[in-house]
Amino acid sequence: MSTLVTDQKTEATRWTGKNVPRKEDERLVKGQGRFADDIRRHNEAHVYLLRSPYGHARIRSIDVTAANNSPGVICTLTGEEVAVLQKPFMEIAPPPGGLMEDYCLAVGKVHFMGEPVVAILAETEELARDAADLVDIEYDPLPAVVDGEAALQSDAPLVHEEAGTNVVWHGVYDWGDIQGAVSRADKVVKIDRLHFHRFTSTPIECNAAVVEYYPGSGEYTFWCNNTMPQFAAMFMGPALGIPTDRLHFVTQDIGGSFGNKITTYVYLTICAILAKKSGRPVKWTEYRTDHILGGSHGNERTFRNIVVPVMADGTILGISATAIDDAGAFPRYEPLGSVIWSQVVPNVYRFRDVKIDFTQVVTNKCPVGPNRGYSRLQHMWMVERIVDIVAHELHLDPIEVRKKNYIQPEQMPYETPNGCVYDSGDYPRCLDLALELIDYPKWRERQIMALGSGKIIGIGIGSTLDSGTNNFGQARIINPQLPFSGNGEVSNVKLDLYGEVVVTIGTTPQGQGHETTAAQVVSDILGIDPDHVRVLIGHDNARNVYTGFSGTYASQFAVTGLGAVQGAAEKLRREIVQLAAGVLQADESEIELRDGSAFVRGQEQRTIPFIGLANIVFANNATMPAGLDVSLNCTYTYRPPFSVPDVERKFGNLTLTYATQIHACVLEVDAQTGHTTILDYAAVDDSGRLIHPQIVEGQVHGAAGLGIGGALYEALEYDEEGQLLTSNFYSYKAVTAVDVPMMKTAAIESPSPFSPNGAKGMGEGGGAPLHAICSALQDVMRQTSGAIITDSFNPSERVYWLMQDTTKGREGVSVEERA
Amino acid sequence: MSNIPSQKRSISVTVNGTTYYRDVAARTLLVHFLRENLNLTGTHFGCDTGHCGSCTVIANGKLIKSCMMLAIQADGFTIETVEGLANPDGSLSPIQQAFSDNHALQCGFCTPGIMLASKYLLQHNPQPTEEEIRRGIKGNLCRCTGYVNIVRAIQGLAAETVQKGDLVK
Amino acid sequence: MLLKELSYVRPNSVEEAIELLNTYPDAGILAGGQSLINVLKMRIGAYSTLVDISALKELQQIRESMGFISLGAATTYDDIIHSPTIMLNRPILAETAIRIADQQVRNRGTIGGNCCYNDPTCHFPPLLTAMGATMLIAGKDKRSEMTAEEFFTGYYQTALEPGELLVDIRIPKPQRPYGDAFVPLSVGGTDVLNAVTVTAHLELNAEGKLTEVRLVAAGVGPRPLRMTAIEKVLDGQPYHLSDVASAVATFDISALEPPSDVHASGEYRRQMVPVLTERALKTALEQVGRGYRE
């Protein structure tokens, strides 16, 4: 592990840890950002994708004759051609999921509403769209399966006949001794069903790309906003039958992703085929309805038969449950979600005995993909619901139950039942701070004062972790054949010809401020102002450095990205010092770097600026001091210290850092309508050492905003035939400024002992608002019907019905007293 | 005579002080006209139903969504887009500076529209309450910031306006 | 997002607009466009010609007369919100308009467009019905008028005939103390989508008794629904009515057949009608009470 090297700088003079102005901002506030749809290529043509209106149907025939003859149309593409031009995309899962065939356009049948069926390429976007109206497709509708549990029934329609089942992956996770825990418990709380709903982050920039094919080299260039290009390449190369190094990805500014732009390789493949077929650069512009219908949804998960052995004082001994995860029509990034949740098996709690029977299925719905808090938030939501339900059923204070069960700071680093190592943290202190921020005693008083007023106040807590820097070895728990493990990011830091400091990284930032924080790190190491560090953002695998893991996802930049930048900057610093020592005829230990120059310590006149050093290496190397071998061009790959997990036991350290977020929510429910208003909200985070506190706080705000939307307003709802009922922003009610409260935040810093800079990855937030809002609504139900909150989505109507019903709402929850 | 329906027309539109003469198809939305015909790509679009507000511009002094208006309707209009916000010397205007200072933007995609909505709000209500600010930007979705720092930026501008006179002209 | 090919024309007068509508039978009227442009983007119910009336000043006048105020059909929501005439005479129009969508939509969307679109979530159809408004319609060589109640005929349907244009909306200025209330139940967030609304209007006669009571529920059926059972109970009652709830209870919600959709179930909508009605009545009664004391 490397440590930060600086020139006797005190904390006060360091750039890291400060809110330096973001380097990204100037171009963005001037409207000079370069987003994917802003890119134009000479002679480009435009693609329009005609999508399935059915959830599940056989394609009897497609007639594109009239479309091909329509004005401005260059060519069309159908599944029939695709089946010849493309091999099915690789699947991560072993059989049966691995047998499911996935093409870029529907082949033979449509599997979900919004699946692309025909691509039309024309001179303009409008002409392509016009021609789509002339395409004649005959469908034979098939019965659809739109529920994860229903997909497991023996008579369920098969989404993929070739797999012979709707199961993508099944596995049993069994750690500790759940039976033993049940035998020694005072009580056993049983919950029949909890349901985590389907929603998504809808980055305001939809997907877009311009794709160009060069016959001379066989290379395809993708100017796009995909956020994990080498993952895309891994799927696309074999599918197109070409070496992956012919796939050249270029990303620039990206208008949000939240994970949703990882799986766009399907669309990029359509564009690639069309680009080669037509000989024209192909521009694809996705609009919101396309994005919601056929982009990337968050995982929907149903938990059944939950058994929770507890002691009378509220100590939770363990959890056993069956989880059914609905992946939508194609696995794509899945079934990684079937293991990723196990990074946070006990959430923030001490229980050791856990058994989860996990099945992932396909349904006739849009494929899922990573979505902020991916796969962990579903699991941690279940754990938080369990904690609240246990408190409710045992008539205990849910805050006390949390405190009693939290892993304590002195237990850090803490190994979880499945071998993950929580690096650092102080959960009780975060909770206390959150309660302080909302003035908890005041709200408990007001809650009593409000009784009988028609407004019911509820107070709830969401405790969550943001596990960052994956060990990709966990993929082997899904499929032992996969040649993946560890993680890593690479950076190049160099002096350019005239002494400019230039940094490249393989990441694909979407607002996380990589240019700024990378510059802060480099500035501290090279002794220059961040304004004098140029950071070239975006992935460009023809020109920039990258690794197989490069991208921006899964809360890892502060560790992997900045770890790489730090390593490369330190290498460059060593070279600069060596060269300067040679030139200035001093000992290396005497050289210090300041304001873009090297000095001999204490002798201001013995100095050489970076431009002078660069000149020697790049344009004047006959003057290079003898025996020196420096390039001033330094690349470093940061590799976190991981080993391959034990696949049999499903055991190992799956992530490097664990940031904490504890949220407290106070809300008010209108007793007559169920309408919910948030009255106060606090978010306390512990992201280890902060590189740029303002950026970290911004991530906390953003994750909280999306979580509040998901908890109260946003749901992707399908009818029985697989019709998506919320396919645009009219029906998918993305939360507005009016409904997000002015949340209060506080941060504590428990440095990670494992990361190169003490920072922890953060940014996903772990879905804390969903936990906190459900918890507060449970507190409302305590004062009304006693109903149990069993769903993560609680719009006014659901809250209304729960308050009406003093019996139904309790169905499925019981407490068994043990002798 | 204008009373014959036509599929195409020559229009003149003044955007950020420059008058453009262009032929447009009747079906072209103003947002596409700005982006494709005038290459003013700072005006974005993030939906197809007039909900996200990324395409917000100020047209004849009114805050509008440029995806909810035909370009042909803008004949003779004066339009301000994000590209017109900065000071003539290229330095940031108070709104742009406030957004940057308060970290009111992350990915920056919704930012052009939200800054124009903020400007319009402060022009019409220089001392808005928090609720008025939130209602003033209700037509602009942001998925990165939870709106917190956007509201703070506007609150800061309102406070500064009191101290320094009219910042938002 | 990509519209079908269409033709566009901007008439210089109402007469010219009507002439165009009659010359091009598949022409549609483009006013603020805040609903129509979305419909065109989705390529449903496309018109081949758009007659743009948004620039017709004669349709944007807010005038005050002896017994009423009149609003040109192309008056924007924002103009309604900022009109002193409306603030003085029927502030409920502004208080309702400010709940519509957002600033951008309010700057272009028009009261006439809201009425002619007549989506069950629209604000003005129930409000104008409760206010007893009159709709003035211009057709080829004729002008006609009808009550708002007659105008709104069904889901997205109005009594407007092809070739006709809604030109003016006349809203009575009550000559007695009165109360107006508009109570929406928005789902999906604050003022996002009205699942149900209840609008109340009532006046006090010289004896201090309620009269001209009109209660309108929307979102529970194809058109704004007058709840005449409750109106009848209230008519002639003293304004300091204490038992609003039992008056509301006279309305048989089981007879309602509200639609179920992704926004709300029919049953929830049904249950919300008495809740909102009671709130609307209380607000209107408080208002009329204040007016009476003055």
Side-chain angles (χ1 to χ4, degrees), chain C residues 75-92:
Chain C
T75 306
T76 64
Y77 308 131
D78 198 63
D79 286 343
I80 291 172
I81 291 161
H82 293 105
S83 159
T85 306
I86 285 170
M87 274 325 279
L88 276 173
N89 292 289
R90 287 311 278 276
I92 190 74

Side-chain angles (χ1 to χ4, degrees), chain C residues 13 18 23 36 50 56 82 120 123-124 146 171 185 193 227 253 262 275:
Chain C
S13 66
I18 290 162
T23 310
L36 179 61
L50 295 181
L56 289 180
H82 293 105
H123 293 64
F124 281 105
M146 64 178 75
I171 292 150
L185 180 80
L193 185 136
M227 293 183 282
I253 57 167
V262 71
V275 172

